[in-house]
Amino acid sequence: TDPQTELAPRGSFKTAHPGRLSLDAPQTLVPPALGMIPYESIAVKRAYYKEMIHGKDRVKRFSGAYEVDIMGREGKALYWAMSLMDMVYCFVKRHVGKAAVGKCWCHLSDSCRLTLHGQVHFVNAGLAIIRNTEGKAAKALLLEQLIDASQGLFRKFVHNGSAKPLPDCGSQDYNLACFLCFAQHVQWTKTGGLAFISDFQGMV
């Protein structure tokens, strides 16, 4: 990885850097897992905090054990999000063939005509823990599938403070945003009000 180069502006607690991943036994992975391609280009993310030094904010890193805890929770959240989206598509497959003629398969209302989009997914990811000579964790890195910015615009579909589509009605992204709002509805209902994914953003 190149820690001096950042792929995007810093987030609230993570930095993102370019890197490459090559595993010893990629044939043991289940597609489309991260690391199946030798020297795959990836995004390497690390937790940070700011410290004021000589009047300027400086990026500082946490201890290895604390970084494992922070990035481990990030990785778990990502895999929970993957599971929640898989649940939505299982729901869709069960109901698509049951829809009455002239009615939408989602059953939300008689006037709904929700468009079924090709399957959206979260980036593939993994957690890498670097240990010191004593075997203790020195660093924890969240490794993510690299999004190729040259393939399109990175945009937001649903804000984390609202359950309404963010794009304007009639815009190119509106139908997909409506589907993602529907996905939130399914997740909230199927988990008994315990969980749903917010702040949908990415590329198509």
Side-chain angles (χ1 to χ4, degrees):
T1 182
D2 178 5
Q4 303 303 317
T5 302
E6 296 191 33
L7 292 171
R10 290 173 197 148
S12 57
F13 70 98
K14 295 193 301 289
T15 58
H17 311 274
R20 291 188 178 275
L21 177 65
S22 190
L23 302 178
D24 291 336
Q27 68 275 9
T28 62
L29 300 174
V30 177
L34 194 70
M36 297 194 69
I37 303 171
Y39 300 102
E40 181 176 0
S41 294
I42 59 170
V44 180
K45 297 187 176 181
R46 286 196 71 186
Y48 80 96
Y49 65 95
K50 293 179 182 178
E51 184 175 288
M52 187 70 71
I53 301 176
H54 302 305
K56 293 184 178 180
D57 281 336
R58 302 294 185 183
V59 170
K60 304 291 287 186
R61 302 298 181 181
F62 297 99
S63 67
Y66 191 62
E67 197 171 38
V68 168
D69 180 57
I70 295 173
M71 302 312 284
R73 278 185 275 141
E74 278 288 291
K76 288 177 183 177
L78 184 55
Y79 273 88
W80 271 110
M82 291 177 180
S83 297
L84 286 168
M85 282 308 297
D86 285 345
M87 180 179 66
V88 170
Y89 283 105
C90 287
F91 176 88
V92 168
K93 288 178 182 178
R94 284 198 305 270
H95 287 81
V96 131
K98 298 179 182 179
V101 175
K103 290 192 175 183
C104 183
W105 52 268
C106 74
H107 306 297
L108 291 180
S109 71
D110 290 340
S111 61
C112 181
R113 292 293 180 270
L114 192 61
T115 303
L116 180 61
H117 285 264
Q119 189 157 338
V120 297
H121 67 91
F122 289 89
V123 293
N124 296 316
L127 183 67
I129 300 175
I130 301 171
R131 300 188 182 276
N132 59 24
T133 54
E134 298 175 349
K136 296 181 180 180
K139 297 178 184 178
L141 311 174
L142 187 63
L143 312 181
E144 290 185 357
Q145 176 185 353
L146 185 64
I147 297 177
D148 187 356
S150 67
Q151 298 302 309
L153 293 175
F154 191 90
R155 58 258 213 193
K156 183 174 286 193
F157 299 94
V158 184
H159 195 272
N160 57 9
S162 172
K164 297 180 180 179
L166 194 58
D168 293 330
C169 181
S171 68
Q172 178 183 355
D173 296 327
Y174 183 73
N175 282 339
L176 177 54
C178 285
F179 175 77
L180 295 174
C181 288
F182 160 78
Q184 290 181 320
H185 177 86
V186 173
Q187 292 159 1
W188 181 256
T189 302
K190 290 296 184 180
T191 62
L194 292 176
F196 69 95
I197 302 169
S198 66
D199 204 24
F200 280 108
Q201 54 189 296
M203 295 172 60
V204 293

